[in-house]
Amino acid sequence: MSKPEYVILLHGLARSANSMNKIAERLNEEGYSVINIDYPSRDYPLEELAEKVMSDALSRSGDQRVNFVTHSMGGILVRQYLSNHQVENLNRVVMLGPPNKGSEIVDKLSDVPSFHFINGAAGTQLGTGDFSIPNKLGKANFNVGIIAGTKSINLLLSAFIPEANDGKVSVASTKLDGMNDHIAMETTHTFMMKNKKVIEQVVLYLKTGMFQHSD
């Protein structure tokens, strides 16, 4: 690369930048300039979070070409921001386990008293209803590839999701109108960003705009 191409990493709800470290290390090996953002995912509503987090992240990359790799709610922050702003130097986005149509778990548990305490205001906005934030944002107007997980380590939560899922989000819910590519992989929501096969698919998409699908 003649100039360093940036990749901004956005972790999911109630996680930290440390959860994206393995992806960061791999992308550094590929010569990308990596910005691994740590943000207070439970402190603000999604709309406010998106403005704060995305503006800060993009200010660090300047006018260089920039990509995003997100986990879970991090993908919704990108969608929320891009619904109101145009990023001229945006190249590609890879989303891991994004609740693009919301999560049934939020529908079931959002009224439980401890849910808001654990997940904050943003967590309560991720349901599957027509007025949830993910479902109000419309189709993708940017180049995005999406990786869904099909394995769960939490059978209790999976019982709330009536189809193939990663323990938090169904495969169907990860899909987004206007997406460029989509792949389902045997990995869990909690650990997909540490999965070597997932990380290699991330690298491939950033380089080519496509995932490697098995025959």
Side-chain angles (χ1 to χ4, degrees):
M1 302 175 186
S2 56
K3 289 185 177 180
E5 189 169 323
Y6 281 87
V7 181
I8 295 171
L9 307 182
L10 295 177
H11 62 79
L13 180 65
R15 303 300 292 267
S16 72
N18 289 339
S19 68
M20 304 294 278
N21 279 348
K22 284 193 176 296
I23 294 178
E25 290 169 6
R26 183 70 182 87
L27 294 176
N28 277 321
E29 290 173 1
E30 291 293 325
Y32 291 101
S33 292
V34 179
I35 303 172
N36 192 3
I37 298 291
D38 199 73
Y39 67 95
S41 61
R42 299 180 295 178
D43 289 0
Y44 304 95
L46 277 165
E47 302 92 333
E48 192 172 350
L49 262 181
E51 291 296 325
K52 290 176 178 292
V53 174
M54 293 287 289
S55 296
D56 174 56
L58 289 166
S59 70
R60 301 192 199 185
S61 61
D63 59 358
Q64 296 295 100
R65 191 157 73 162
V66 64
N67 307 271
F68 284 89
V69 177
T70 68
H71 177 232
S72 194
M73 191 183 78
I76 308 305
L77 296 186
V78 172
R79 288 182 61 200
Q80 171 66 36
Y81 187 84
L82 293 179
S83 71
N84 294 313
H85 303 274
Q86 188 170 0
V87 179
E88 297 291 346
N89 54 334
L90 179 62
N91 186 31
R92 296 181 176 125
V93 177
V94 183
M95 297 181 178
L96 310 181
N100 279 321
K101 294 184 177 68
S103 172
E104 293 88 350
I105 291 173
V106 176
D107 298 340
K108 297 288 185 181
L109 301 181
S110 60
D111 290 334
V112 175
S114 61
F115 185 88
H116 187 278
F117 176 77
I118 295 170
N119 297 287
T124 64
Q125 295 177 291
L126 296 173
T128 65
D130 292 340
F131 296 102
S132 74
I133 293 295
N135 286 317
K136 291 197 299 183
L137 293 176
K139 69 178 186 178
N141 58 356
F142 52 93
N143 185 324
V144 58
I146 298 168
I147 300 177
T150 62
K151 185 178 178 181
S152 174
I153 56 173
N154 193 322
L155 298 182
L156 178 62
L157 292 182
S158 287
F160 294 131
I161 308 174
E163 51 192 297
N165 65 86
D166 63 9
K168 295 286 183 69
V169 179
S170 70
V171 172
S173 184
T174 64
K175 295 180 179 179
L176 177 62
D177 289 343
M179 63 186 177
N180 188 57
D181 201 359
H182 183 278
I183 189 170
M185 302 183 69
E186 190 176 354
T187 186
T188 68
H189 191 85
T190 303
F191 297 115
M192 61 172 56
M193 59 288 193
K194 301 177 185 294
N195 184 296
K196 289 183 179 180
K197 291 182 179 179
V198 170
I199 293 173
E200 290 311 307
Q201 291 280 14
V202 169
V203 172
L204 184 63
Y205 192 89
L206 291 177
K207 288 182 172 295
T208 69
M210 296 294 292
F211 297 120
Q212 177 65 55
H213 296 267
S214 58
D215 295 332

